[in-house]
Amino acid sequence: MALKIRKRDEPWKWGALVIFLGALLFSLVVSGLLLAGQGKDALQGMLILWEGSFGNLWALEGALLKAIPLFLCSLGVAVAFRMQIWNIGAEGQFALGAIGATWMALSFPHLPWYGLMPLMFIMAFLLGGTWAFIPAVLKLKLRVNEIISTLMLNYIAILLLDYLVFGVWKDPTSFGFPMTPEFTSGAVIVGIGTSRVHWGLLFCAVVGTGLWAFMRFTRLGFELKASGEGARVARYAKIRYGLLTMFVMCLSGGFAGWAGCIETSAVLNRLQPSLMVGYGYTAIVVAWLARLEPLNIAFGSFLLAALRVGVENLQLELQIPAAFGVIMEGMILLTVLAGQFFLTYRIERVPLEGEE
């Protein structure tokens, strides 16, 4: 018998779910082997990971807190990826959004929340969108690869944030630590009831629903998806590809900017370097795992956020390196991407020539 690759007559109906669960199981098995290689009890480690991710209310609240900025960054990345524009700059756009929100919070500290909060969200969207607009113009006018330009702008954004918190915005009462003064009550997004989860969760639901409706029911959303087939196809269909590219990049950066605004306001209540924990990079993983669909992005964001919380618990309990969580994320992504092959193709056993 020989093996032969054949294209499926129609896509594998439940393939995406099977591949995702298989990738998750594979990554857990490999993670267990890595733990065993360090002399740890692999089974105990997986139980600690589960307990830290989903085992109690505190863990679930922690996962939701991390899922909020991750969801918004992932939405932004997915919008750009829909047009095959590879925006790797969500991390920098996240930082610029945080800077914009902080700028308004420090400039107008005496405004009530209903006056200050809109200013913070508007400025966060504008600065995040502007940071993404730069590589869009470079791509259209100078043919600069957007992967390189967005990636390089990440480093500039993070250094700009450091410059501000170490310099002009540094709190004189912080005993030398790099951070801004704490925000006034009007600049803080409060929690829902007595839980640690804040109202940014509702904002995510509104934004996600709005983006889904925009992509499904508007002409501009249709043009955006059609442009994903390539610039030549878009121009042949009389779609203004250049204008649409700039719009999509601004929208993508604006979503990441909102994530920075919410994280700064609701979680830290000030701007400081510890804000930058890699949500913009993890968003790329989430967007691909979710196949760029908003509902799937919500699920993927919560899952990877829960994974982060669980790995933090694992670090405390078993003293493992911080890179363990990044390894798990990478394995899940690579396995899912490799598994996409089986959505379109299947492997069959066929008899060799001369055999019955």
Side-chain angles (χ1 to χ4, degrees):
M1 302 294 288
L3 299 178
K4 187 173 182 179
I5 296 173
R6 288 184 176 171
K7 192 170 185 178
R8 297 179 184 272
D9 296 329
E10 57 184 29
W12 187 8
K13 185 176 181 181
W14 297 101
L17 179 61
V18 172
I19 289 169
F20 178 78
L21 293 176
L24 188 60
L25 179 62
F26 174 79
S27 68
L28 289 174
V29 170
V30 174
S31 299
L33 293 175
L34 290 175
L35 287 174
Q38 296 182 37
K40 313 292 185 182
D41 187 328
L43 182 58
Q44 181 193 12
M46 293 300 102
L47 290 174
I48 292 173
L49 182 65
W50 171 265
E51 183 71 21
S53 300
F54 308 104
N56 52 65
L57 182 60
W58 182 267
L60 292 174
E61 287 181 348
L64 283 173
L65 283 174
K66 292 183 184 297
I68 290 169
L70 188 53
F71 174 76
L72 289 171
C73 287
S74 301
L75 275 187
V77 167
V79 169
F81 285 4
R82 278 279 185 182
M83 271 191 70
Q84 294 191 27
I85 299 173
W86 312 115
N87 177 18
I88 313 298
E91 187 78 355
Q93 294 143 22
F94 175 90
L96 262 292
I99 290 171
T102 303
W103 184 12
M104 294 297 98
L106 298 181
S107 299
F108 306 101
H110 302 299
L111 283 180
W113 70 267
Y114 52 82
L116 182 53
M117 203 61 71
L119 287 177
M120 292 171 63
F121 273 81
I122 290 170
M123 187 56 66
F125 189 93
L126 287 176
L127 289 191
T130 301
W131 208 246
F133 178 77
I134 296 170
V137 172
L138 292 175
K139 173 184 173 69
L140 294 170
K141 301 301 182 184
L142 301 177
R143 299 186 181 276
V144 176
N145 187 299
E146 70 273 16
I147 296 176
I148 302 299
S149 57
T150 53
L151 186 61
M152 294 299 101
L153 283 170
N154 285 345
Y155 297 104
I156 298 173
I158 294 170
L159 290 172
L160 177 60
L161 187 151
D162 287 344
Y163 166 77
L164 292 171
V165 297
F166 277 94
V168 292
W169 285 352
K170 185 176 180 180
D171 184 1
T173 64
S174 65
F175 300 101
F177 290 100
M179 60 181 66
T180 66
E182 193 170 2
F183 293 171
T184 57
S185 59
V188 174
I189 300 173
V190 297
I192 301 174
T194 57
S195 72
R196 292 191 296 148
V197 182
H198 52 77
W199 287 101
L201 183 65
L202 179 61
F203 182 80
C204 286
V206 172
V207 172
T209 304
L211 180 64
W212 172 81
F214 168 76
M215 297 293 293
R216 188 179 179 94
F217 299 115
T218 68
R219 177 177 176 177
L220 194 59
F222 172 77
E223 289 181 349
L224 192 156
K225 289 186 286 187
S227 297
E229 299 297 324
R232 290 184 179 180
V233 174
R235 293 188 177 106
Y236 181 79
K238 308 297 183 183
I239 296 173
R240 296 168 293 180
Y241 183 79
L243 186 62
L244 194 58
T245 297
M246 290 186 284
F247 168 75
V248 163
M249 284 296 283
C250 288
L251 189 64
S252 178
F255 283 170
W258 274 342
C261 171
I262 291 174
E263 191 73 0
T264 306
S265 171
V267 178
L268 298 179
N269 307 144
R270 63 176 70 197
L271 185 64
Q272 58 192 58
S274 62
L275 173 76
M276 308 306 299
V277 294
Y279 287 127
Y281 295 117
T282 305
I284 299 169
V285 179
V286 173
W288 276 118
L289 290 179
R291 307 184 71 189
L292 312 182
E293 294 293 338
L295 182 60
N296 295 342
I297 287 173
F299 173 74
S301 297
F302 177 74
L303 182 65
L304 285 193
L307 179 64
R308 282 194 169 205
V309 175
V311 168
E312 288 173 2
N313 190 48
L314 201 58
Q315 284 179 249
L316 294 173
E317 295 288 339
L318 297 183
Q319 302 299 306
I320 63 168
F324 188 79
V326 181
I327 293 172
M328 290 191 68
E329 286 180 14
M331 284 190 297
I332 293 172
L333 176 63
L334 289 175
T335 311
V336 168
L337 291 179
Q340 299 297 310
F341 170 84
F342 294 101
L343 294 178
T344 308
Y345 298 90
R346 65 177 183 267
I347 298 177
E348 294 182 346
R349 294 201 311 172
V350 295
L352 296 172
E353 293 183 8
E355 295 184 2
E356 294 185 359

